Amino acid sequence: MGSKKAKKTQDNMNSRLKLVMKSGKAILGYKASMKALRRSKSKMILIASNCPHLRKSEIEYIAMLAKTNVHHYAGDNTALGTACGKFYNCSVLSIVDPGDSDILTSTKE
């Protein structure tokens, strides 16, 4: 993340994520996110960059079956947990209700 544009998009994603945590509903963690995906409650999944490959591919497959957006977060699991305002690591985050944030419409891949 040496370029200015990558840094700006990362900050933009972090601010959207903070708004989701404040006004919406999000689930942190792999097991709880998988449960939300299987029940089709999840609107979007964020995966940290250092999430294990097998786990990442499993989440992507279940998300494809559930027709849920997947966003690959540029930072590692420590950065994702910090962006959510938590003091612990989080490799997978599931957004159930975006609240006032436009995170679902702005991160179409």
Side-chain angles (χ1 to χ4, degrees), residues 3-106:
S3 69
K4 247 183 174 176
K5 185 172 170 107
K7 179 77 171 157
K8 187 174 182 181
T9 56
Q10 179 73 13
D11 291 341
N12 199 5
M13 188 63 173
N14 286 349
S15 63
R16 287 188 180 120
L17 205 50
K18 280 183 186 171
L19 194 57
V20 167
M21 296 304 285
K22 192 170 188 175
S23 64
K25 181 156 173 50
I27 298 170
L28 281 78
Y30 168 72
K31 285 171 75 174
S33 295
M34 288 298 280
K35 284 181 185 177
L37 263 176
R38 282 192 224 109
R39 293 184 179 130
S40 299
K41 291 186 177 185
S42 180
K43 303 268 193 304
M44 182 180 208
I45 297 286
L46 277 85
I47 303 174
S49 64
N50 64 343
C51 184
H53 186 69
L54 183 66
R55 183 174 285 188
K56 188 184 293 189
S57 61
E58 183 183 4
I59 292 166
E60 288 170 347
Y61 177 69
I62 300 289
M64 183 217 31
L65 293 177
K67 297 182 177 82
T68 304
N69 292 338
V70 176
H71 178 76
H72 296 282
Y73 189 73
D76 61 349
N77 57 1
T78 308
L80 184 58
T82 306
C84 295
K86 306 296 181 189
F87 293 112
Y88 47 84
N89 301 342
C90 173
S91 62
V92 181
L93 175 112
S94 173
I95 297 173
V96 177
D97 176 32
D100 298 332
S101 178
D102 63 340
I103 196 166
L104 297 179
T105 58
S106 65

